């Protein structure tokens, strides 16, 4: 499927009577604007096309659902139905993600790593709304209160994961489909518990918002597998974050580059 074919397909499910479509060929992004509210969102086309290759109609249905839920959240905000009594969570985004909303209001953010940044969102059940400075000013809520509440909430999330072994390396996949899988990297207690399971290098990958991969890398092949796996998830994610992985050691996150593969071989030599 080509980009324009995807746009035409979306128009059959998201009527042009309700939305205006603006496809930018240079950036390969589609902007939808709700005619009644004047609110709009921008969608990156390549990740959707990549998901369509494997999931077909399911990928389209997921995009349509996300768009509908997002605009419903915007309508709730305009109607004054969103307030700070809702649950607030941290969400992880790439450092290339916009710093301001479409209306020009600065998002509530916090530095995380050179590749990632923390944003904050109010949970609305099937979707969430990123918090900005104007929203907090309207509610008379301080940023420190938001950050503390969000960190508390992410610590209370259920942490189910699946395990896979490849070439002697163990990978743990957190994919709870609650919108906050990548946010679990901020749960220090969880990371420390996972560290106890690991005998090699502990790695953490956040290719997109709906998955966190923790690796127990025990040989050089493990780094190759990790790189390929992370890139795959990065390309199919609805909200990509980073194709780079991190080594977790002594509570710190260090990005993995090609030289990181030498860590295992050097340790083996020392033994």
């Amino acid at each position: 499927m080509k980009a324009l074919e995807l746009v035409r397909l979306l128009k059959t499910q998201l009527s042009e009577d309700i939305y205006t479509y603006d496809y930018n060929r240079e950036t390969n992004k589609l902007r939808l604007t709700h005619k009644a509210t004047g609110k709009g969102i921008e969608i990156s086309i390549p990740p959707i096309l990549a998901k369509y290759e494997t999931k077909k109609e399911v990928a389209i249905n997921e995009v349509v659902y996300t768009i509908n839920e997002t605009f419903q959240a915007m309508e709730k905000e305009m109607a004054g139905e969103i307030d700070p009594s809702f649950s607030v969570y941290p969400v992880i985004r790439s450092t290339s993600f916009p710093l301001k909303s479409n209306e020009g209001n600065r998002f509530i953010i916090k530095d995380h790593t050179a590749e990632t940044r923390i944003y904050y969102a109010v949970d609305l059940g099937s979707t969430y709304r990123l918090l900005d400075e104007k929203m907090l000013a309207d509610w008379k809520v301080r940023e420190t209160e938001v950050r503390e509440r969000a960190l508390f909430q992410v610590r209370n999330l259920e942490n189910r994961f699946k395990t896979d072994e490849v070439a002697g390396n163990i990978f743990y996949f957190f994919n709870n489909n609650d919108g906050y899988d990548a946010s679990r990297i901020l749960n220090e207690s969880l990371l420390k518990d996972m560290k106890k399971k690991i005998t090699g290098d502990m790695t953490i990958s956040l290719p997109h918002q709906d998955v966190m991969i923790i690796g127990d890398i025990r040989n050089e092949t493990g780094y190759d597998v990790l790189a390929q796996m992370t890139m795959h998830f990065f390309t199919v994610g609805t909200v990509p974050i980073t194709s780079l992985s991190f080594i977790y050691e002594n509570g710190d996150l260090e990005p993995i580059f090609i030289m990181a593969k030498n860590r295992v071989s050097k340790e083996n030599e020392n033994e």
Side-chain angles (χ1 to χ4, degrees):
M1 176 180 285
K2 303 296 184 181
L4 290 178
E5 292 179 89
L6 173 62
V7 174
R8 284 195 293 269
L9 183 57
L10 289 175
K11 288 180 179 179
T12 64
Q13 300 193 44
L14 298 164
S15 173
E16 289 184 87
D17 292 336
I18 301 174
Y19 303 98
T20 57
Y21 285 75
D22 182 15
Y23 172 58
N24 188 317
R25 293 175 182 269
E26 293 184 4
T27 62
N28 215 357
K29 291 182 178 180
L30 172 67
R31 180 171 178 79
L32 271 77
T33 303
H34 194 285
K35 293 181 178 179
T37 65
K39 300 281 187 177
I41 60 174
E42 198 170 65
I43 304 166
S44 180
I45 295 296
I48 302 174
L49 294 178
K51 290 183 74 172
Y52 184 82
E53 291 300 316
T54 56
K55 303 176 73 173
K56 302 302 180 184
E57 287 76 15
V58 173
I60 303 301
N61 292 338
E62 288 177 353
V63 174
V64 170
Y65 175 81
T66 300
I67 292 171
N68 281 328
E69 292 296 320
T70 300
F71 278 109
Q72 285 182 25
M74 291 179 179
E75 290 174 3
K76 287 183 179 179
E77 181 187 353
M78 292 182 71
E81 297 174 7
I82 298 178
D83 62 58
S85 63
F86 282 77
S87 297
V88 175
Y89 289 87
V91 291
I92 306 296
R93 290 290 185 268
S94 162
T95 49
S96 63
F97 193 82
L99 296 175
K100 296 180 179 181
S101 68
N102 292 327
E103 293 75 27
N105 301 314
R106 187 174 180 82
F107 288 123
I108 305 303
I109 59 175
K110 183 179 180 182
D111 291 337
H112 184 228
T113 73
E115 307 296 326
T116 56
R117 187 179 289 127
I118 305 170
Y119 289 68
Y120 297 87
V122 58
D123 189 89
L124 301 174
S126 53
T127 186
Y128 54 69
R129 172 76 161 90
L130 292 181
L131 298 177
D132 59 48
E133 292 177 344
K134 183 179 183 303
M135 295 172 72
L136 265 60
D138 291 341
W139 296 337
K140 296 180 173 57
V141 175
R142 295 173 300 173
E143 285 191 28
T144 53
E145 183 180 345
V146 167
R147 299 186 203 282
E148 291 169 2
R149 187 182 303 174
L151 195 56
F152 175 80
Q153 288 292 123
V154 82
R155 288 170 180 162
N156 286 330
L157 290 171
E158 187 175 0
N159 295 308
R160 298 187 306 274
F161 58 81
K162 295 181 180 179
T163 306
D164 192 15
E165 180 174 349
V166 183
N169 303 275
I170 310 298
F171 297 94
Y172 303 92
F173 298 87
F174 292 78
N175 181 216
N176 292 266
N177 294 314
D178 56 13
Y180 306 108
D181 286 294
S183 303
R184 286 166 169 81
I185 195 173
L186 303 176
N187 186 343
E188 192 64 28
S189 296
L190 170 63
L191 301 188
K192 289 179 179 179
D193 287 343
M194 295 302 297
K195 180 69 174 177
K196 296 174 184 176
K197 299 175 179 286
I198 289 170
T199 60
D201 285 343
M202 177 173 169
T203 64
I204 305 177
S205 308
L206 304 176
H208 62 75
Q209 74 166 12
D210 294 317
V211 68
M212 177 174 73
I213 306 169
I214 292 182
D216 183 351
I217 309 301
R218 302 174 179 178
N219 54 53
E220 286 192 26
T221 303
Y223 280 102
D224 293 329
V225 172
L226 179 66
Q228 295 172 21
M229 183 185 299
T230 306
M231 180 57 72
H232 168 72
F233 277 95
F234 177 75
T235 57
V236 302
T238 305
V239 184
I241 298 177
T242 176
S243 58
L244 276 181
S245 297
F246 304 89
I247 288 179
Y248 177 77
E249 195 167 40
N250 299 321
D252 295 325
L253 294 167
E254 293 293 336
I256 297 174
F257 299 102
I258 190 66
M259 294 302 292
K261 293 200 300 181
N262 295 329
R263 289 168 54 90
V264 173
S265 58
K266 285 181 179 179
E267 289 176 2
N268 291 339
E269 289 174 3
N270 292 337
E271 291 177 1

